[in-house]
Amino acid sequence: MFSRKEIIETINMVEKEHFDVRTITMGISLLSCIREDAKKTADLCYDRICKKAERIVAVAEDLEDEFGVPIINKRVSITPASLLTSSFCGKEVVLAKALDNAAKTVGVDFLGGYSALVQKGMTSYEKSFIESIPEALAVTDRTCSSVNVGSSKAGINMDAVRLMGEIIKQTAERTKDRDGFGCAKLVVFCNAVEDNPFMAGAFHGLSEGETVINVGVSGPGVVHHALTKMKGASIEEIAETIKKTAFKITRTGQLIANEASKRLNAEFGIVDLSLAPTPVMGDSVAHILEEMGLESVGCHGTTAALAMLNDAVKKGGVMASSNVGGLSGAFIPVSEDIGMIRAAEKGAISLDKLEAMTCVCSVGIDMVAVPGDTPATTLSGMIADESAIGMINNKTTAVRIIPVPNKGVGESVEFGGLLGSAPIMKVSPYGCSTFINRGGRMPAPIHSNKN
């Protein structure tokens, strides 16, 4: 039960500190829908999603009214789609369109899981599936895609890394009328998790149940507000305050997740307690770091401050729920965080510094706009770097990068809504094509041998 004090605190967090439940995501297994024919498989997938998720939006709206906590997004994730399309190579987009239509029918914001897991090797049908991604993202509105190219156990599939650089370039070109917007719906992972409720990287893992509810909470504004009262406090005192704040945030997420799963007749999966920012003032991870004492995010000391923030968030969250999962940490997407946007605009943060920060936080190079003429091998180099960080450190890392067609450094791109806007950032003028084109598989680190 929640005490009167906790209820008042939650009301204040919502009204004054931008606290919300960022997403309720229903994971749905579609393995039973597999048929040899593309249309039959697509039709069965459409029907199953519409049946299972028909009430997700209504239930979320009811919970908003009952508990007074905004639920910003309602989403669906599915079985990695490359497993569903193995018998109809070349016709994968038929499924992508059916998934998009299902998302629109049930009214969810996004559907994730147009995905492939190729960390150790890539079959011919998986390669065909990955090659379908640019068209799939160009002809759909709500379908999101992800590809896992590495893991701490398997190493890094450098053939997939090379291919994904080309796929990102093609996706940008196919959606150039929208400044390469398709790339905002495409993530390349190392160590992807099976219960991530956040887009664009959500998919319903093979070890998950038939239907599962995963909830992502978010409270950068709440943490920032708490730290404004900590003038002159020590680092330990700041860490303790962040832990207590994360506990409160996660408690609310746990309540919403429990209720949603009961009403939707689904299993309760996890609460993801990631600090996911928005372009709104007062809802920024960058501003939390600056409140700790940084003149601007990106300066020396940023990585240390972010490491402490991420650790404290996790420690506070696991005390509030036994089912913490997903990514659970601080996100640093450039276009989606007003503080990160401004730091990039004034040159306080670079791609090199962002890469360093991803060593200690959740995800990786996220929602970064780069010049449209960036070579595909350079994009692959970024993917390889982030995958290496994830593989060696046994953590999830990712790249969601947008080479904006016909734009360069000094210009900006506007996506709107939660995706925000971003200045186009400078990339290294020196290439890595010889390295990327070697292909093969980068061996897993020695510490992966734990059997």
Side-chain angles (χ1 to χ4, degrees), residues 2 195 213-215 217 243 246-258 268-273 313-326 328:
F2 276 68
D195 53 9
I213 294 295
N214 297 317
V215 166
V217 295
K243 281 168 54 181
F247 177 87
K248 297 173 187 176
I249 293 169
T250 310
R251 283 267 285 171
T252 304
Q254 172 92 7
L255 174 65
I256 297 292
N258 276 327
F268 165 38
I270 56 92
V271 177
D272 185 322
L273 51 103
V313 166
K314 291 177 186 291
K315 286 175 178 173
V318 297
M319 291 297 293
S321 172
S322 359
N323 294 296
V324 169
S328 289

Side-chain angles (χ1 to χ4, degrees), residues 130-333:
I130 291 172
E131 289 172 342
S132 78
I133 289 174
E135 182 182 358
L137 295 181
V139 300
T140 60
D141 299 313
R142 306 186 191 188
T143 300
C144 294
S145 181
S146 61
V147 177
N148 192 67
V149 297
S151 73
S152 296
K153 190 69 176 175
I156 301 172
N157 183 343
M158 293 299 291
D159 291 324
V161 168
R162 177 178 56 194
L163 179 58
M164 286 313 299
E166 297 167 0
I167 293 299
I168 291 170
K169 285 284 287 187
Q170 292 170 24
T171 302
E173 184 62 26
R174 290 294 300 265
T175 56
K176 64 182 179 182
D177 59 325
R178 292 170 282 166
D179 286 329
F181 174 73
C183 297
K185 301 190 294 170
L186 174 59
V187 186
V188 186
F189 277 115
C190 177
N191 289 323
V193 296
E194 297 186 326
D195 53 9
N196 171 19
F198 286 99
M199 298 298 170
F203 63 86
H204 187 66
L206 295 181
S207 66
E208 299 287 318
E210 287 283 334
T211 313
V212 178
I213 294 295
N214 297 317
V215 166
V217 295
S218 180
V222 182
V223 175
H224 179 253
H225 182 78
L227 295 189
T228 60
K229 304 171 185 177
M230 302 294 292
K231 306 297 182 184
S234 70
I235 293 295
E236 291 155 304
E237 291 170 326
I238 288 175
E240 192 64 26
T241 297
I242 295 170
K243 281 168 54 181
K244 291 177 180 177
T245 306
F247 177 87
K248 297 173 187 176
I249 293 169
T250 310
R251 283 267 285 171
T252 304
Q254 172 92 7
L255 174 65
I256 297 292
N258 276 327
E259 287 298 319
S261 57
K262 289 176 187 175
R263 299 182 192 191
L264 291 167
N265 193 30
E267 295 179 38
F268 165 38
I270 56 92
V271 177
D272 185 322
L273 51 103
S274 297
L275 296 182
T278 69
V280 175
M281 184 62 71
D283 200 26
S284 162
V285 169
H287 288 164
I288 296 173
L289 303 178
E290 290 168 357
E291 191 62 41
M292 291 183 190
L294 305 179
E295 185 175 349
S296 172
V297 66
C299 70
H300 297 299
T302 297
T303 305
L306 181 59
M308 188 195 71
L309 171 64
N310 214 47
D311 181 65
V313 166
K314 291 177 186 291
K315 286 175 178 173
V318 297
M319 291 297 293
S321 172
S322 359
N323 294 296
V324 169
L327 299 169
S328 289
F331 288 1
I332 51 169

